[in-house]
Amino acid sequence: MGVCELCGRDDVEITVHHLLPKEMGGTFGATANLCIPCHKQIHALYTNEEIAARLTSLSDLRKDEKLGRFIRWIRKQPSSKIMKIKKSKERRKR
Ligand SMILES: [Zn+2]
Ligand SMILES: [Zn+2]
């Protein structure tokens, strides 16, 4: 468990992201500690080629429009309760 360097939530499960993808030569390059949803989102939105071309630092990732929107959303999600979101949907009706 640790702090996600992208969304800033703490007490989340941490995965290591290569800022320059391994496939693009970043095996020994800089890494960032990211929570699983942030990490998945980066790779869902962008190919390794796109990441290598313009998203090789945390500030670049944060400045990205689509990722920025995701970060604003994920920040509001409780760190350990992501898996339970579905169950609480019923209660959100007003
Ligand atoms: Zn995160
Ligand atoms: Zn990654």
Side-chain angles (χ1 to χ4, degrees), residues 16-18 39 43:
V16 173
H17 170 67
H18 286 80
H39 200 174
H43 292 289

Side-chain angles (χ1 to χ4, degrees), residues 4-50:
C4 173
E5 292 186 63
L6 195 59
C7 66
R9 294 181 309 144
D10 59 14
D11 208 21
V12 289
E13 200 172 324
I14 291 297
T15 56
V16 173
H17 170 67
H18 286 80
L19 290 167
L20 180 63
K22 280 187 275 187
E23 292 80 358
M24 306 297 284
T27 305
F28 303 105
T31 58
N33 296 327
L34 303 180
C35 67
I36 292 165
C38 282
H39 200 174
K40 276 196 185 149
Q41 187 70 7
I42 291 172
H43 292 289
L45 286 172
Y46 300 107
T47 62
N48 286 333
E49 284 77 11
E50 284 172 297

Side-chain angles (χ1 to χ4, degrees), residues 63-75:
K63 267 182 271 171
D64 181 79
E65 198 197 316
K66 285 184 226 163
L67 269 174
R69 217 178 296 147
F70 170 80
I71 293 165
R72 280 196 294 279
W73 173 82
I74 192 87
R75 269 185 184 150

